[in-house]
């Protein structure tokens, strides 16, 4: 049964049943008000969702438009051109669809939201005000009536007549207000139906218009789809037809590769390992080169190329060949070697190594090589001269380098993280280690030596010492406090151990750490925070005597020890340790204040050490750079000495940016507490999976749908369609 009509005559009676009918009308309007309010909320959410969907669709369209297939060869077929253009066409279809969706979103605002808000504010809001006035007048009318009836009959006649007049006037005003309120109530009850439904009708009209536009677009797309399917099928058929031919050719070459060599301008070409000789203390290294020789001109072109570092080409070198001699096994401990002499080479001969004896014969034949005379090499009498030592020259090298760095490059971004050109570093270090030339070199004012060359030479000197500056003997003892205990107990333990170092070691370590503290004080400009310096100098100042997997697990703790030294330099080197401080405890005993060990469930894997793999730095103009130990990604994720997250400098000088921060574990934990992680991330270090559940990847790999894993320090992500675990500190979020 619907609402009963409100009769105007009932306003004068104002009976209890009349009041019940008014309350029923008021309740209905309140219900309508709540309905419209909820509908407006849902409509606004719908608009927001539509805009979000539109933004996602447009981003998807941009991704389609921006990608272009590369084809093999110097031309494309018509079918390939159509397929190549298809992604752009898909993008245009989506773009047109989203333009219609934007029109829909605007129409929802204009045809649904605004009319309903207007009705709710102007009509339902007005009736609420009328109700307040009606209730107020009701209270006033009946209060005055009760007061009037309580007047004593003994009052004077004029006073009683005046009171009767006031009551009558108030009753007339109340009846007029009651009539207006009843009229307004019934008017809004009638208006609400079309005022509410008409905007909803307009909304559906707009929505079906959008779907109709989609239908029209679908009809247009259907013609394009049919043509594209033909292009795809044609291309697939050609692929199937040519694949058997390609496989047959591959098998022919596999059976007899020499008969199917491509004709080109070179007499012979291929990979050779070239021995690069270094100053006495550093021995030599073998670097893979791609070599090309032309017999007519006797020119041998050598280009360094390392497959494992991402296939980056080095600077080529051209030699004018004068002779080639087979290297005797008595003169080298490597097989398949031969020497070449070059007219334009100051250091000859150049020793090269082929991949096999057959390969060497091919090169010897092409280079017109000959057998070498017998030379006896007495390895027992060979001596290693000029090795790095903790002597007067060593202290002079350190002081010269530090003085130059603090004078010229204390604010250089990536200081000590960016390495110098290998050949220049070796040349500078050779001059510094020579007593005759060391004192003559002026690093502070010379423009011949870049700051990165000086810093790399200093690190190379420290790595070339017979044993690390913090000694093999104390290595294990330094590691123990870094693994557990309170920050104060760590500082005390390391303070105690530093004063157990030999005097020269302690003196040089004091000089170096004081300098590193100064470098960290300029971290706002050079981006080399204490944690970053720990990454660089941890493996330089500390290393175990025997390299094992267990030793690799401790790399991150070496960084922590260096961080503690830098942060507490004055206390550690300027004061004596507490005489009552106990000797550091052995590895087999749990240290004091150590946190409780986490129990490992059956099948749970041990967390990957923070640093296992070398970071291949992308450097410009590098002659020959072997990844050095400070380049390893020993990030400060597990740093226990630093109390705040620190930025990590980009591995490439080109990419270094003072506003570029990598998220560390502390940052990620806080960040994840306030955000749902479902993002993309890029690998900043390479990684080789150690378990079937982990992902292997190279630098630059992009992971989709990245989320936190249940295992501490690990993320879950998708790469090339495969989902697995990723070390948290190996990636940067996009």
């Amino acid at each position: 049964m619907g609402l009963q009509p409100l009769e105007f005559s009932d306003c004068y009676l104002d009976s209890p049943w009349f009041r019940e009918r008014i309350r029923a009308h008021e309740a209905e309007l309140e219900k309508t008000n709540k309905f419209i309010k909820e509908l407006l909320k849902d409509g606004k959410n719908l608009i927001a969702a539509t805009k979000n969907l539109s933004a996602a669709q447009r981003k998807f369209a941009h991704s389609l438009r921006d990608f272009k297939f590369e084809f093999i060869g110097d031309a494309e077929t018509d079918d390939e051109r159509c397929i190549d253009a298809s992604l752009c066409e898909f993008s245009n279809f989506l773009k047109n669809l989203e333009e219609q969706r934007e029109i829909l979103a605007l129409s929802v605002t204009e045809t649904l939201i605004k009319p309903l808000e207007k009705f709710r504010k102007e009509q339902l809001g007005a009736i609420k005000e009328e109700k307040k006035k009606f209730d107020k007048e009701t209270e006033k009318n009946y209060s005055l009536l009760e007061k009037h009836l309580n007047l004593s009959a003994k009052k004077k006649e004029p006073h009683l007549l005046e009171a009767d007049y006031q009551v009558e006037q108030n009753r007339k005003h109340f009846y007029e207000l009651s009539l207006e309120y009843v009229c307004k109530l019934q008017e809004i009850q009638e208006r609400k139906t079309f005022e509410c439904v008409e905007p909803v009708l307009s909304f559906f009209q707009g929505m079906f218009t959008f779907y109709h536009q989609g239908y029209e677009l679908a009809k247009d797309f259907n013609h394009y789809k049919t043509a594209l399917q033909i292009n795809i099928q044609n291309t697939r058929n050609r692929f199937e037809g040519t694949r058997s031919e390609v496989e047959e050719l591959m098998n022919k070459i596999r059976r007899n590769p020499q008969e199917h060599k491509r004709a080109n301008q070179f007499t012979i070409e291929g990979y050779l390992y070239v021995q690069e000789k270094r100053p006495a203390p550093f021995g030599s290294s073998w670097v893979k080169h791609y070599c090309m020789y032309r017999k007519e001109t006797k020119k041998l072109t050598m280009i360094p190329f390392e497959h494992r570092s991402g296939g980056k080409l080095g600077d080529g070198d051209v030699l004018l060949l004068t002779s080639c001699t087979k290297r005797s096994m008595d003169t080298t401990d490597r097989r398949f070697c031969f020497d070449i002499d070059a007219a334009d080479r100051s250091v000859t001969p150049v020793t090269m190594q082929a991949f096999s004896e057959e390969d060497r014969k091919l090169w010897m034949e092409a280079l017109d090589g000959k057998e070498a005379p017998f030379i006896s090499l007495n390895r027992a009498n060979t001596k290693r001269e000029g090795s790095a030592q903790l002597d007067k020259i060593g202290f002079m090298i350190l002081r010269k380098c530090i003085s130059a760095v603090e004078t010229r490059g204390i604010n250089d971004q990536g200081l000590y993280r960016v390495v110098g050109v290998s050949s220049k570093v070796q040349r500078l270090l050779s001059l510094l280690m020579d007593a005759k030339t060391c004192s003559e070199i002026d690093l502070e004012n010379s423009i011949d030596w870049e700051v990165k060359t000086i810093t790399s030479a200093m690190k190379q000197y420290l790595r070339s010492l017979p044993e690390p500056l913090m000694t093999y003997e104390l290595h294990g003892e330094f590691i123990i406090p870094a693994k557990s205990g309170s920050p104060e107990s760590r500082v005390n333990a390391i303070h105690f151990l530093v004063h157990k170092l030999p005097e020269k070691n302690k003196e040089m370590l004091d000089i170096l750490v004081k300098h590193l503290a100064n470098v960290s004080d300029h971290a706002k400009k050079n981006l080399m925070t204490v944690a970053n310096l720990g990454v660089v100098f941890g493996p330089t100042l500390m290393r175990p005597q025997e390299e094992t997997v267990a030793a690799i697990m401790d790399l991150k703790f070496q960084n922590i020890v260096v961080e503690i030294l830098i942060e507490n330099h004055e206390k550690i080197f300027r004061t004596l340790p507490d005489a009552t401080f106990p000797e550091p405890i052995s590895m087999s005993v749990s240290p004091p204040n150590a946190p409780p060990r986490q129990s490992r469930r059956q099948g749970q894997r041990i967390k990957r050490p923070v640093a296992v793999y070398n970071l291949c730095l992308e450097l410009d103009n590098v002659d020959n750079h072997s990844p050095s130990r400070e380049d390893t990604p020993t990030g400060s994720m597990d740093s226990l000495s630093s109390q705040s997250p620190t930025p990590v400098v980009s591995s490439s000088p080109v990419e270094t940016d003072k506003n570029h921060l990598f998220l560390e574990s502390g940052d990620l934990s806080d960040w994840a507490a306030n955000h749902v992680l479902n993002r993309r991330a890029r690998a900043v270090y390479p990684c080789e999976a150690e378990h079937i559940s982990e992902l292997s990847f190279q630098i630059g790999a992009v992971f989709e749908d990245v989320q936190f894993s249940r295992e501490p320090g690990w993320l879950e992500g998708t790469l090339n369609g495969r989902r697995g675990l990723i070390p948290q500190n190996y990636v940067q979020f996009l």
Side-chain angles (χ1 to χ4, degrees), residues 74-103:
D74 55 0
E76 291 177 290
T77 66
D78 292 339
D79 292 316
E80 287 172 337
R81 275 193 288 269
C82 292
I83 292 174
D84 194 23
S86 64
L87 297 184
C88 190
E89 288 295 327
F90 296 155
S91 175
N92 291 334
F93 277 114
L94 269 179
K95 182 181 177 183
N96 292 335
L97 185 64
E98 291 317 306
E99 288 175 353
Q100 298 301 321
R101 197 188 304 275
E102 284 187 357
I103 294 174

Side-chain angles (χ1 to χ4, degrees), residues 397-402 405 416 425 428-429 432 453-464 512 515-516 537 540:
I397 291 172
L398 192 72
R399 289 191 172 98
K400 273 182 172 288
C401 292
I402 288 175
V405 170
Y416 287 109
V425 172
L428 173 58
L429 191 55
L432 288 172
T453 304
I454 297 171
T455 57
S456 296
M458 188 179 84
K459 290 184 292 181
Q460 184 64 50
Y461 161 75
L462 292 170
R463 287 195 297 269
S464 302
L512 177 62
H515 165 64
L516 296 181
F537 282 92
T540 300

Side-chain angles (χ1 to χ4, degrees), residues 18-293:
F18 174 70
R19 286 285 177 164
E20 284 294 327
R21 290 194 292 272
I22 286 180
R23 280 194 291 273
H25 280 261
E26 290 173 345
E28 171 60 20
L29 291 181
E30 182 61 26
K31 185 177 74 172
T32 303
N33 182 56
K34 289 181 179 179
F35 161 73
I36 294 175
K37 183 178 179 180
E38 193 67 23
L39 194 64
L40 287 171
K41 179 182 176 182
D42 293 339
K44 290 176 181 178
N45 289 339
L46 177 62
I47 293 173
T50 301
K51 289 181 177 178
N52 289 337
L53 174 60
S54 182
Q57 293 270 50
R58 285 183 178 275
K59 187 176 184 305
F60 184 72
H62 287 318
S63 299
L64 291 173
R65 184 197 63 194
D66 294 339
F67 183 79
K68 182 176 176 63
F69 291 107
E70 292 293 337
F71 60 93
I72 300 175
D74 55 0
E76 291 177 290
T77 66
D78 292 339
D79 292 316
E80 287 172 337
R81 275 193 288 269
C82 292
I83 292 174
D84 194 23
S86 64
L87 297 184
C88 190
E89 288 295 327
F90 296 155
S91 175
N92 291 334
F93 277 114
L94 269 179
K95 182 181 177 183
N96 292 335
L97 185 64
E98 291 317 306
E99 288 175 353
Q100 298 301 321
R101 197 188 304 275
E102 284 187 357
I103 294 174
L104 171 63
L106 290 174
S107 70
V108 171
T109 301
E110 295 298 325
T111 61
L112 179 68
I113 303 299
K114 288 184 178 180
L116 288 178
E117 284 181 337
K118 182 179 180 181
F119 174 73
R120 183 168 175 264
K121 181 178 180 181
E122 295 180 1
Q123 301 298 327
L124 297 179
I127 199 64
K128 281 188 175 182
E129 294 299 320
E130 291 291 331
K131 180 181 183 305
K132 290 179 182 178
K133 289 170 61 177
F134 177 71
D135 291 339
K136 183 178 179 181
E137 287 299 322
T138 299
E139 179 67 23
K140 180 180 177 182
N141 178 63
Y142 286 104
S143 296
L144 186 62
L145 182 61
E146 288 177 5
K147 183 179 179 181
H148 179 69
L149 294 175
N150 288 330
L151 283 176
S152 173
K154 297 179 180 180
K155 293 282 186 177
K156 294 181 178 180
E157 186 67 17
H159 183 75
L160 293 174
L161 291 174
E162 179 65 24
D164 291 339
Y165 177 78
Q166 289 181 358
V167 169
E168 186 62 23
Q169 291 298 318
N170 189 71
R171 184 184 294 116
K172 288 181 179 180
H173 178 69
F174 171 72
Y175 289 154
E176 288 177 4
L177 189 65
S178 180
L179 289 169
E180 290 175 2
Y181 181 60
V182 167
C183 181
K184 190 69 174 177
L185 273 177
Q186 295 191 118
E187 177 187 329
I188 293 178
Q189 291 289 5
E190 293 297 318
R191 288 174 64 96
K192 71 178 182 183
T193 52
F194 58 86
E195 291 282 4
C196 290
V197 174
E198 190 175 40
V200 178
L201 175 63
S202 298
F203 162 73
F204 275 89
Q205 178 62 37
M207 185 174 66
F208 288 122
T209 300
F210 166 74
Y211 285 123
H212 180 73
Q213 293 292 338
Y215 172 75
E216 293 295 326
L217 284 172
K219 286 199 302 184
D220 295 338
F221 180 76
N222 192 52
H223 299 296
Y224 178 77
K225 178 193 72 173
T226 303
L228 184 60
Q229 284 176 331
I230 295 173
N231 299 139
I232 292 172
Q233 189 59 45
N234 290 341
T235 305
R236 178 179 283 111
N237 292 340
R238 281 192 291 270
F239 164 75
E240 296 293 342
T242 57
R243 182 169 62 174
S244 59
E245 298 290 332
V246 171
E247 289 178 351
E248 183 179 350
L249 177 60
M250 178 185 68
N251 291 329
K252 286 180 181 179
I253 294 177
R254 180 184 292 156
R255 287 191 295 268
N256 197 343
Q258 296 300 326
E259 288 186 3
H260 293 84
K261 281 192 173 181
R262 291 187 304 140
N264 57 36
Q265 58 180 321
F266 298 109
T267 307
I268 189 171
E269 62 181 326
Y271 285 101
L272 292 171
Y273 278 85
V274 180
Q275 184 182 32
E276 293 192 355
K277 296 177 181 178
R278 297 181 178 179
F282 310 109
S284 62
S285 63
W286 293 81
V287 180
K288 186 167 62 178
H289 288 67
Y290 192 80
C291 301
M292 299 164 285
Y293 177 68

